[in-house]
Amino acid sequence: MTQISYRVPMRQLLTFQLEGLADELVELQSLDDAIHWTAIHPPDSYVMLGRGSNSLIRFPRDGLRVVRLTPNSIPIHREGNLVQLPAGGTMKKMQDVLIEMGLSGLEFGAGVPASVGGMVAMNFGCWGECMADRVTRIQLVQGGKVEWVPASDAHFGYRASRFHTTQEMVVSVELRLTPSDPLDIRQQVQGAIQRRLASQPLRAKTFGSIFKNPSGYFAAQLIEQAGLKGQRWGDIEVSGQHANFLVNHGVATYQETMAVIDHVRAVVKDVHGVELEMEVKQL
Ligand SMILES: Cc1cc2nc3c(=O)[nH]c(=O)nc-3n(C[C@H](O)[C@H](O)[C@H](O)COP(=O)(O)OP(=O)(O)OC[C@H]3O[C@@H](n4cnc5c(N)ncnc54)[C@H](O)[C@@H]3O)c2cc1C
C-alpha cells in the first residue's frame, strides 16, 4: 500500500544531503500503487526520485512532494539470461541478487548509491559501458496505464533517455546479462568498488559528476586546470580527489550549491572557453 510520510528532511532523500524538508514523501510499494498514483496525480505535481544520487531539488518551494518506488515494489524475475529488476532496487541489493544468480554485466555500477530506475533514466555509465548496452525493455507507468517498451524506443544517449522529457515512471527493467561464476562476479564487483574508491569521494556526501564531459574534453581536467580542484566555499568543496565532484562537508542549501556550480562553470568558460553542461539533475 502507498505510504506517505510528512516533513521529510531532504538529507534522507539526496546523497548530497541538501538542507530543507519535503512536505510529503510518497513511497509506492507495488505496481498497483504506481498505477493508482499516476492515474490521479499528473507528473508535474510531484518530483520523481530514485536514490537521489544524481539530483538536486530546487528549494525552497511550496508543497514539495517527492515520489519514489520502494526496492521491492516489483518482484525480480529471471528467464535464462534475461532478468527483470525493480526500478526501486538499489545497486547494492541488485549486485547481491545477480551474484547469487550467477549473472554478470552490471558490475560497472557497483558501489554507486543509485537505483535501477535512476540508472535507466540517466543511462548510467562508466569505463566504456552503460545501461543501454544491457537493457532489452522497460516497463513504464503513465496516467494509470502500464506498458513495456523496447530499449530501442528509450532514446538512450550520453546520460540521457526519453524518460526525462516524457515524465513516464520506470517501474521495472529487463536486462540481458551473461552467465558467469558467482565468485568471479563478486571479484569484479569488489574490483569496481576499489577502483571507484581510488578515484572518487565515494563515502562523502556527493552526487557524482557535476558536469557532462564536453566533446573532446574531460570536465574534471578542465576544472582542475582552472585551479578549482580542492577549493571550498563554506561547507561545499570541489573534491580534492576528483574535480568533477562536489562534496558537502556539513550544511549546504540548494542556492549555495548552485552558486558554486555556476562559479565553476563561469571560471572554466573564462579559462578554457568551454561551456560545461550539467549532468546532475535539478528537479
Ligand atoms: C559516488 C557517486 C558515483 C557516481 N558515479 C557515476 C558513474 O560512474 N556514472 C554515472 O553515470 N553516474 C554516476 N553517479 C551518478 C548517479 O549515481 C547516476 O546518475 C544514477 O543513475 C542515478 O540514480 P538514482 O536512483 O540515484 O537517480 P536520482 O538521482 O534519484 O534521479 C536521477 C534522474 O532520474 C529520474 N528517475 C529516477 N528514478 C526514476 C524512475 N523510476 N522513473 C523515471 N525517472 C526516474 C529522476 O527524476 C531524475 O531526473 C555517481 C553518483 C555518486 C554519488
Side-chain angles (χ1 to χ4, degrees), residues 21-49:
L21 293 176
D23 296 276
E24 283 182 30
L25 169 64
V26 179
E27 293 184 280
L28 307 175
Q29 314 217 44
S30 66
L31 181 58
D32 276 352
D33 282 359
I35 291 170
H36 290 137
W37 177 266
T38 59
I40 46 178
H41 298 93
D44 58 4
S45 68
Y46 58 88
V47 166
M48 184 72 212
L49 208 62

Side-chain angles (χ1 to χ4, degrees), residues 247-260:
V247 174
N248 173 6
H249 286 288
V251 177
T253 64
Y254 173 74
Q255 278 92 348
E256 288 163 350
T257 308
M258 285 313 301
V260 171

